[in-house]
Amino acid sequence: MSKVPDGFLEELRQKVDIVEIISDHVQLRRSGRSFTGLCPFHNERTPSFSVSPERQMYHCFGCGAGGTVFRFVMDTEAVSFTEAVVMLAERVGMQLPAGVNELDAAQQPAMAKHQRFREAHELTAKLYNYILMNTDAGVQALNYLENRGISRKTMVDFRLGFAPKTNNTVVSFLRKRGFQDEELVACGLAVEMGTGLVDRFRGRVMVPICDKKGQVIAFGGRTMDAKVKPKYLNSPEYDLFHKSRLLYNYHDARKLIRQGRVALLLEGYMDVISLAQAGVLHGVATLGTSLTEEQAALLKTDCDKTIVAYDGDAAGRKATVRAIDILLGAGIEPLILQIPDGQDPDEYVQANGGEAFGRLMQRRTLSVVQFLLDDMRQQANLTSSVGRTAFVRDALQLLAKRATPVEQEYEMRNLSQEFNLSVETLKEELRGFAKLNKAREKHQVRNLSTERIQPLERAFMRASTSILQAVLFDSEAAMYVMEKGVTELAEPVQTALLARLYAWRLTEPAAPPSAFVDELDDESLIHLASSLFFGETPEFTKDLLDDFIRAVERHHLEITHKSLLRQWIEAEASGDIRHATEIKLQVDQIQNQIATLRPPRETMKGR
């Protein structure tokens, strides 16, 4: 981020009318002290987008988008922070301070290096595309792509190219433009071979890989010869490129994903390209690896559901099972597209077209339970009575563990018809599995009933949110909370935001809360921070803060208590009486500590 004096930012923030700026994009209506409207970042029928002129903030309670007026301009105009500042300053007639576009001296070397890497990749992408579209060397690759149904317009849109088989086409090209050998090696465009330097990619169709801003930072190279391995070769990881943190085509698909709150997760580059050519534009793909937690977190900022459309072969189904757990862990609802005849999305859309693929997503998208049942069926031995019985029992166990009551009812009727079993028999068996699951859970959390935990969970969440508000809006309250040693809240994102707030309060004790939001660069933190500005905030007295802190402490003690109980049960079951006795003493101590903490005050319960 370019240097912009804090004083100038605050003056600009006060002069700019956030309601006026946002009204250029959203029809707003007054609602009390705020304004509401339909969110511009996702499709909705009921307004969940709020703007506070008093606090100069906006927040969508539907998709989580939020921030200051600078963030709004950045997201709607696709510009950097400094560019947003310049645009707003020009709008209100403020003169920019000297040096606003100068980089911080400490960042200059790294920023200059990264800019060189981007320039090298940009030039290389243009070179590859030119070779593909305009030279004899690219004719074979051009024919290959056209035979796969890729039009020349799509090749240009996705900037596809061809890396010739010669050893130093890219190296010579970039050397002539002033790039040093060590730069080409560092960013993965060249490799050292013997005493010389050669192109990393040779004889491959080239697919540029872009970052979230749409800048080329890497390549995927696809061989046209089935005998050449690997089929796909990606750029090596370096400063700007980490495969586990990026999704192919995310920069182009993101706006559409955010609007519909649904992403289409594909397995490869060609799936994305073929579907986009057919009009299905919200597809993204992993970069030659299984879906990662970082990629799921990236999707979570823009969608609530993800349709997984991997290949229909065994490897694709296995990868789908892994993706389901990762998406669920990120708080995203997975849906699985079942493509007929074991085809991949590219093959299906080439044969049937984009409209047929759209209808397929409507008709053959499965829930997690439906997909897992189908996967179990494909692996089961249904030709023998033993295999059929085993499958039914496994299916009922799955239903007891994962399915909603409606799903249970529906799938049991299907099982009844398929295996000629009465629904009553299946229900009785299901109840047995459900009881077994409950017994296991009850055994694990011995003496800690669900009724006791849930109210505490709710109090813990309320207390965590209130502590964040206190630290954000009240510098004295922030110091008090820090002195009490609160470091962990209900959710990881809350804990991460608390750490950033502590650091900010220590260095900027008098800064306005909106200035803190402008310092954040992680979208999940921005979304959480912006939500804190909406709703009433009480006077944070020491008594009230103590209530919040006690709720947090009590929750952490309960977690420790549960863990010790499990260890105690395991020690008793193994016959290790001495160890069980030691753990029991710790359990008693924790229980005594919990008893000393009064329940949260009624003032907090009502919040």
Side-chain angles (χ1 to χ4, degrees):
M1 186 180 293
S2 297
K3 287 197 304 183
V4 184
D6 293 339
F8 177 82
L9 283 179
E10 187 55 30
E11 184 181 355
L12 177 59
R13 194 181 285 112
Q14 295 303 319
K15 283 192 175 183
V16 170
D17 185 344
I18 190 172
V19 174
E20 179 185 325
I21 299 296
I22 293 180
S23 292
D24 290 344
H25 301 265
V26 182
Q27 185 175 353
L28 296 174
R29 292 184 178 181
R30 180 173 285 280
S31 176
R33 296 163 68 178
S34 298
F35 290 80
T36 61
L38 296 176
C39 180
F41 303 114
H42 81 288
N43 289 332
E44 62 177 6
R45 295 182 179 180
T46 304
S48 59
F49 184 82
S50 294
V51 183
S52 171
E54 179 183 350
R55 289 176 167 171
Q56 289 288 296
M57 295 291 296
Y58 71 93
H59 182 76
C60 176
F61 291 91
C63 69
T68 67
V69 67
F70 303 121
R71 171 61 56 178
F72 187 84
V73 173
M74 289 168 66
D75 285 346
T76 55
E77 304 295 337
V79 296
S80 68
F81 179 82
T82 303
E83 289 170 324
V85 170
V86 172
M87 291 171 64
L88 291 171
E90 290 175 351
R91 180 161 179 153
V92 297
M94 286 183 64
Q95 184 175 356
L96 292 170
V100 73
N101 290 315
E102 294 177 3
L103 292 174
D104 188 13
Q107 295 178 321
Q108 281 187 4
M111 293 293 287
K113 180 178 72 170
H114 292 166
Q115 184 59 30
R116 293 279 290 175
F117 290 167
R118 291 188 180 93
E119 290 173 1
H121 278 87
E122 180 68 26
L123 288 169
T124 303
K126 290 179 179 178
L127 173 65
Y128 285 151
N129 183 254
Y130 179 83
I131 293 171
L132 173 70
M133 307 295 290
N134 300 286
T135 71
D136 292 340
V139 169
Q140 183 186 0
L142 191 64
N143 292 335
Y144 167 81
L145 289 169
E146 289 180 334
N147 290 336
R148 291 197 60 159
I150 305 301
S151 70
R152 296 200 179 193
K153 180 181 183 303
T154 299
M155 295 180 206
V156 172
D157 289 344
F158 281 86
R159 306 177 67 182
L160 303 184
F162 178 66
K165 294 181 180 180
T166 53
N167 281 344
N168 62 352
T169 300
V170 170
V171 170
S172 298
F173 175 76
L174 292 177
R175 278 173 174 167
K176 291 176 182 177
R177 282 151 183 81
F179 287 90
Q180 303 300 310
D181 287 0
E182 55 268 23
E183 290 179 301
L184 304 183
V185 173
C187 69
L189 290 173
V191 293
E192 294 175 340
M193 184 175 291
T195 58
L197 211 62
V198 299
D199 295 351
R200 176 174 292 276
F201 298 101
R202 300 184 297 279
R204 291 176 179 267
V205 172
M206 301 304 296
V207 181
I209 299 170
C210 298
D211 61 16
K212 289 191 288 185
K213 295 181 179 179
Q215 298 176 312
V216 182
I217 57 170
F219 290 97
R222 210 270 190 212
T223 180
M224 296 178 291
D225 187 347
K227 297 178 182 179
V228 175
K229 303 296 179 183
K231 182 167 70 172
Y232 277 100
L233 177 65
N234 282 337
S235 295
E237 295 198 347
Y238 69 103
D239 294 9
L240 300 179
F241 179 54
H242 300 277
K243 290 185 290 186
S244 63
R245 302 176 193 171
L246 287 177
L247 290 164
Y248 178 66
N249 198 46
Y250 185 72
H251 65 289
D252 273 340
R254 184 181 186 188
K255 184 176 181 180
L256 197 60
I257 290 171
R258 176 176 277 187
Q259 288 176 350
R261 302 300 295 171
V262 178
L264 176 63
L265 181 62
L266 301 161
E267 203 164 357
Y269 309 125
M270 298 310 296
D271 292 328
V272 172
I273 293 168
S274 291
L275 288 174
Q277 179 174 278
V280 183
L281 304 175
H282 61 311
V284 296
T286 54
L287 302 175
T289 62
S290 300
L291 182 70
T292 66
E293 292 179 359
E294 293 94 336
Q295 289 166 336
L298 186 64
L299 287 171
K300 178 60 179 173
T301 62
D302 296 304
C303 74
D304 305 309
K305 298 179 181 180
T306 293
I307 299 172
V308 182
Y310 285 173
D311 295 354
D313 57 14
R317 295 181 72 86
K318 188 175 180 181
T320 299
V321 173
R322 288 196 300 267
I324 285 171
D325 290 334
I326 290 173
L327 290 169
L328 287 171
I332 300 173
E333 179 186 351
L335 299 169
I336 298 86
L337 181 61
Q338 194 175 46
I339 302 176
D341 304 323
Q343 292 180 305
D344 61 34
D346 177 23
E347 293 168 337
Y348 184 87
V349 79
Q350 291 293 346
N352 301 281
E355 291 185 4
F357 190 86
R359 292 192 296 270
L360 187 72
M361 284 195 291
Q362 294 179 340
R363 295 197 315 266
R364 301 194 65 169
T365 298
L366 307 179
S367 69
V368 169
V369 168
Q370 290 171 328
F371 171 78
L372 294 177
L373 282 173
D374 184 67
D375 194 52
M376 288 168 54
R377 181 177 279 105
Q378 292 199 25
Q379 299 180 49
N381 178 15
L382 300 181
T383 59
S384 72
S385 59
V386 173
R388 290 193 295 273
T389 301
F391 169 73
V392 171
R393 288 180 60 83
D394 289 343
L396 290 172
Q397 284 182 327
L398 174 67
L399 293 177
K401 185 179 296 185
R402 283 185 179 260
T404 65
V406 172
E407 287 178 313
Q408 290 176 351
E409 182 75 18
Y410 179 80
E411 295 300 340
M412 279 192 291
R413 291 187 184 279
N414 289 340
L415 291 171
S416 171
Q417 294 176 5
E418 184 177 357
F419 295 98
N420 196 27
L421 295 167
S422 71
V423 174
E424 289 72 22
T425 299
L426 293 172
K427 284 184 177 180
E428 183 63 31
E429 190 82 0
L430 181 71
R431 281 192 289 269
F433 287 127
K435 287 179 181 178
L436 183 60
N437 288 339
K438 286 184 179 179
R440 287 172 178 167
E441 291 173 5
K442 194 172 182 179
H443 185 65
Q444 288 175 347
V445 296
R446 200 174 180 181
N447 298 326
L448 278 177
S449 67
T450 303
E451 291 76 14
R452 178 183 172 188
I453 295 171
Q454 286 181 345
L456 185 62
E457 291 277 4
R458 290 193 292 270
F460 183 36
M461 288 296 298
R462 289 195 298 269
S464 295
T465 299
S466 297
I467 285 173
L468 288 173
Q469 288 180 316
V471 178
L472 177 60
F473 293 115
D474 190 325
S475 58
E476 291 186 8
M479 295 303 116
Y480 186 76
V481 173
M482 277 189 270
E483 289 171 2
K484 290 290 185 177
V486 179
T487 57
E488 187 175 352
L489 299 179
E491 296 178 334
V493 66
Q494 290 180 318
T495 299
L497 186 64
L498 181 65
R500 292 289 297 270
L501 277 167
Y502 280 167
W504 174 72
R505 272 296 177 198
L506 289 171
T507 56
E508 303 286 346
S514 54
F516 169 72
V517 182
D518 285 332
E519 290 189 5
L520 298 173
D521 50 14
D522 182 280
E523 290 205 33
S524 61
L525 297 184
I526 294 169
H527 291 177
L528 174 58
S530 65
S531 71
L532 301 175
F533 285 77
F534 292 83
E536 296 297 325
T537 53
E539 180 184 352
F540 293 106
T541 64
K542 288 187 177 180
D543 285 343
L544 188 58
L545 291 172
D546 285 339
D547 282 344
F548 298 145
I549 294 168
R550 271 192 292 269
V552 171
E553 290 176 349
R554 189 177 179 205
H555 181 83
H556 291 319
L557 287 172
E558 290 282 6
I559 296 298
T560 304
H561 188 221
K562 287 167 62 177
S563 176
L564 287 171
L565 283 174
R566 293 189 186 98
Q567 296 175 42
W568 180 28
I569 292 166
E570 292 171 0
E572 283 189 329
S574 66
D576 191 345
I577 304 303
R578 180 178 176 181
H579 188 42
T581 302
E582 292 175 352
I583 297 174
K584 180 61 169 61
L585 290 174
Q586 296 179 54
V587 169
D588 292 341
Q589 291 174 354
I590 294 293
Q591 286 177 330
N592 291 334
Q593 288 179 268
I594 292 173
T596 63
L597 296 173
R598 295 199 309 271
R601 292 173 182 265
E602 291 300 320
T603 52
M604 192 180 76
K605 289 182 180 179
R607 277 174 54 75

mmCIF file of all heavy atoms in Angstrom, residues 29 157 402 485 554 600:
data_model
loop_
_atom_site.group_PDB
_atom_site.id
_atom_site.type_symbol
_atom_site.label_atom_id
_atom_site.label_comp_id
_atom_site.label_asym_id
_atom_site.label_seq_id
_atom_site.Cartn_x
_atom_site.Cartn_y
_atom_site.Cartn_z
ATOM 1 N N ARG A 29 -32.354 3.332 1.357
ATOM 2 C CA ARG A 29 -33.474 3.921 2.093
ATOM 3 C C ARG A 29 -33.071 4.060 3.554
ATOM 4 O O ARG A 29 -32.408 3.172 4.102
ATOM 5 C CB ARG A 29 -34.724 3.035 1.980
ATOM 6 C CG ARG A 29 -35.311 2.984 0.573
ATOM 7 C CD ARG A 29 -36.590 2.172 0.554
ATOM 8 N NE ARG A 29 -37.190 2.138 -0.774
ATOM 9 C CZ ARG A 29 -38.327 1.504 -1.058
ATOM 10 N NH1 ARG A 29 -38.965 0.846 -0.097
ATOM 11 N NH2 ARG A 29 -38.810 1.525 -2.287
ATOM 12 N N ASP A 157 -9.246 -14.870 -25.380
ATOM 13 C CA ASP A 157 -9.830 -14.468 -24.087
ATOM 14 C C ASP A 157 -9.036 -15.027 -22.913
ATOM 15 O O ASP A 157 -8.809 -14.334 -21.913
ATOM 16 C CB ASP A 157 -11.285 -14.930 -23.990
ATOM 17 C CG ASP A 157 -12.212 -14.154 -24.914
ATOM 18 O OD1 ASP A 157 -11.799 -13.082 -25.390
ATOM 19 O OD2 ASP A 157 -13.334 -14.626 -25.167
ATOM 20 N N ARG A 402 -25.113 -38.362 9.290
ATOM 21 C CA ARG A 402 -25.012 -37.139 8.480
ATOM 22 C C ARG A 402 -26.332 -36.559 8.006
ATOM 23 O O ARG A 402 -26.409 -35.378 7.699
ATOM 24 C CB ARG A 402 -24.152 -37.415 7.226
ATOM 25 C CG ARG A 402 -22.653 -37.469 7.471
ATOM 26 C CD ARG A 402 -21.937 -37.614 6.135
ATOM 27 N NE ARG A 402 -20.500 -37.657 6.250
ATOM 28 C CZ ARG A 402 -19.690 -36.633 6.028
ATOM 29 N NH1 ARG A 402 -20.189 -35.462 5.710
ATOM 30 N NH2 ARG A 402 -18.385 -36.773 6.122
ATOM 31 N N GLY A 485 -5.372 -10.291 30.009
ATOM 32 C CA GLY A 485 -4.740 -11.414 29.318
ATOM 33 C C GLY A 485 -5.642 -12.212 28.412
ATOM 34 O O GLY A 485 -5.396 -13.405 28.174
ATOM 35 N N ARG A 554 -14.660 -19.080 31.374
ATOM 36 C CA ARG A 554 -15.452 -20.238 31.731
ATOM 37 C C ARG A 554 -15.537 -21.222 30.556
ATOM 38 O O ARG A 554 -15.464 -22.442 30.744
ATOM 39 C CB ARG A 554 -16.858 -19.795 32.148
ATOM 40 C CG ARG A 554 -17.687 -20.920 32.751
ATOM 41 C CD ARG A 554 -19.032 -20.411 33.219
ATOM 42 N NE ARG A 554 -19.804 -21.501 33.770
ATOM 43 C CZ ARG A 554 -21.121 -21.517 33.823
ATOM 44 N NH1 ARG A 554 -21.799 -20.497 33.348
ATOM 45 N NH2 ARG A 554 -21.774 -22.531 34.348
ATOM 46 N N PRO A 600 -22.718 -15.221 33.343
ATOM 47 C CA PRO A 600 -22.759 -13.855 32.819
ATOM 48 C C PRO A 600 -23.968 -13.088 33.339
ATOM 49 O O PRO A 600 -25.020 -13.648 33.579
ATOM 50 C CB PRO A 600 -22.872 -14.067 31.296
ATOM 51 C CG PRO A 600 -22.300 -15.422 31.081
ATOM 52 C CD PRO A 600 -22.649 -16.217 32.302
#
